[in-house]
Amino acid sequence: MSDPRIAGAGVTHFGEHPERTGRDLFAEAGLEALDDAGIDPEDAEALYYGNFMGELAEHQGHQGPLMAEAIGLDVPATRVEAACASAGAAIREGVKTLRNGEAEVVVVGGAERMTNIGTAAATDALAIAADDLYEVRAGMTFPGAYALMARSYFDQYGGSREDLAHIAVKNHEHALVNDHAQIQKEITVEDALEAPTIADPLGLYDSCPITDGAAATVLTTESYAAEHDLDAPVAITGTGQGGDNLALQDRPHLAQTPAADKAAEEAYDDAGVDPDDVDFAEVHDCFTIAEVLAIESLGFYERGEGIAAARNGETTRDGDLPINLSGGLKAKGHPVGATGVAQLATVAWVLDGSHPRADAVPDGTVGVAHNAGGTVASTTVHVMEVQE
């Protein structure tokens, strides 16, 4: 069993594209990935496609074969849904398919169209990733849910809105050179603290935007890459997935994310690495507090210590452990079904030196992607490494 290689990737601009359909967005990303890989599309043997709210935003289900058709593939195509972790779960399916010998080339991607239905409808659509009976009907939205998690964290470990503001400032700065990013705007701590409150203690700059976009990658076996002389130096060496109770009230604590703990442990064991080996990571920062919870679950910080990482400069591009060099969901944007694959693409590009922020880790060999669904009831973690 060999580790799948990342042969190519494509990502659309993340932002507002209300005039474009989901299939149009995915066609752009998928065709770019196939071209980047330099493979014959007829060699592709499967498509795994992440999408969360297509039925609500586009009145379109059964998107797997639709998206295969959009990029010219005649293959079995499967849509994968795990809320905001849909693309991360799709990656796992692709990795398992290659590892178990069912295929030598698979395409993995995802897309989401959200801005066409407006902010209120998009917020309602996103909320179905929570418990409808006990959360949504009581008025719970994800800004409110993550605000509860932030309050719990502050109560249990300490921290402040200013600590969260430093995370937003960092991720906005990282996105300034990322042409795929939805928000390329520098902000200050004062800007973040003075912005409108969304759900106390979270403000406007603590929250990711509503986003349209798509991402795709071509994964191959090591033997196929060698036989076809592909430039594919980055491998997915570890994959993990964890779960938790869907509703917050059914969990023993709100300031930890056990699903991410489990996914990270599985991915590290699979890759044969530990957190100290990781040079940088892309994590699921749908809200600034989510980045804190992620870097603690990934083992980079002890519980209660991740809150000060950005303020101390440790997770900036000049720090010892850069986090979200893409700008993260916070500034790059969050087209739900595409996010996990976009994270994978970013890690691969940083490792191969082609990302505009690759100079942050010039000697980096190990990167991690962390993709979470809902209030982290679903999580995937993938370890990527440069191969000799």
Side-chain angles (χ1 to χ4, degrees):
M1 182 181 71
S2 64
D3 295 317
R5 297 297 182 96
I6 301 171
V11 179
T12 68
H13 177 263
F14 284 5
E16 297 185 20
H17 301 288
E19 75 290 351
R20 299 184 65 182
T21 62
R23 72 189 78 184
D24 179 34
L25 289 164
F26 187 69
E28 178 185 337
L31 292 172
E32 181 182 336
L34 289 165
D35 183 66
D36 185 43
I39 69 163
D40 185 338
E42 293 187 358
D43 283 0
E45 297 166 86
L47 168 66
Y48 296 100
Y49 171 78
N51 177 266
F52 172 56
M53 50 190 283
E55 290 88 349
L56 298 177
E58 294 195 283
H59 197 63
Q60 182 65 65
H62 203 191
Q63 290 195 23
L66 181 68
M67 298 307 171
E69 180 184 354
I71 60 174
L73 301 185
D74 181 15
V75 298
T78 304
R79 174 186 170 190
V80 180
E81 188 275 303
C84 307
S86 295
I91 293 166
R92 271 178 62 81
E93 293 305 310
V95 169
K96 289 188 288 185
T97 295
L98 294 176
R99 282 182 168 181
N100 66 23
E102 290 184 30
E104 289 192 296
V105 179
V106 299
V107 177
V108 179
E112 211 74 64
R113 187 183 180 208
M114 304 169 68
T115 65
N116 61 301
I117 59 176
T119 300
T123 300
D124 287 344
L126 290 166
I128 68 170
D131 187 321
D132 179 70
L133 187 59
Y134 295 112
E135 293 183 310
V136 180
R137 297 186 191 188
M140 177 71 79
T141 63
F142 279 109
Y146 276 91
L148 290 174
M149 297 167 82
R151 283 173 172 267
S152 178
Y153 188 99
F154 291 167
D155 288 345
Q156 187 168 349
Y157 301 117
S160 67
R161 290 189 62 228
E162 187 169 347
D163 290 314
L164 298 180
H166 279 277
I167 297 170
V169 169
K170 166 185 71 72
N171 289 345
H172 274 255
E173 197 277 334
H174 286 173
L176 290 175
V177 297
N178 181 4
D179 290 339
H180 294 121
Q182 182 170 1
I183 303 174
Q184 290 181 282
K185 174 186 175 182
E186 189 171 9
I187 64 170
T188 65
V189 170
E190 291 71 27
D191 291 331
L193 293 175
E194 293 171 6
T197 299
I198 302 300
D200 189 40
L202 303 179
L204 179 65
Y205 286 119
D206 290 299
S207 313
C208 70
I210 293 171
T211 312
D212 304 323
T217 186
V218 177
L219 305 181
T220 73
T221 60
E222 181 181 358
S223 59
Y224 180 96
E227 181 182 348
H228 292 80
D229 196 26
L230 300 184
D231 182 19
V234 179
I236 302 173
T237 59
T239 180
Q241 184 168 352
D244 199 355
N245 295 326
L246 185 63
L248 288 178
Q249 73 266 17
D250 292 330
R251 302 180 191 176
H253 39 63
L254 304 187
Q256 298 179 22
T257 50
D261 296 359
K262 299 167 191 173
E265 181 179 3
E266 182 181 2
Y268 291 149
D269 286 347
D270 190 26
V273 302
D274 61 43
D276 291 338
D277 296 317
V278 178
D279 298 302
F280 68 101
E282 289 287 306
V283 307
H284 197 98
D285 62 322
C286 48
F287 298 91
T288 48
I289 187 62
E291 177 168 313
V292 177
L293 300 174
I295 61 178
E296 292 182 358
S297 281
L298 289 166
F300 302 147
Y301 290 88
E302 296 295 328
R303 305 291 185 198
E305 295 182 0
I307 189 69
R311 180 202 284 266
N312 293 339
E314 296 161 5
T315 53
T316 66
R317 63 188 175 95
D318 298 319
D320 291 336
L321 183 66
I323 299 293
N324 286 332
L325 288 168
S326 67
L329 286 60
K330 175 67 211 63
K332 179 186 64 185
H334 182 29
V336 174
T339 287
V341 173
Q343 291 176 321
L344 186 89
T346 295
V347 174
W349 289 334
V350 171
L351 287 173
D352 72 18
S354 61
H355 193 275
R357 290 298 189 201
D359 59 352
V361 282
D363 301 316
T365 59
V366 182
V368 161
H370 158 283
N371 190 201
T375 46
V376 201
S378 300
T379 312
T380 64
V381 173
H382 289 94
V383 178
M384 281 151 277
E385 298 183 67
V386 177
Q387 302 298 295
E388 296 295 336

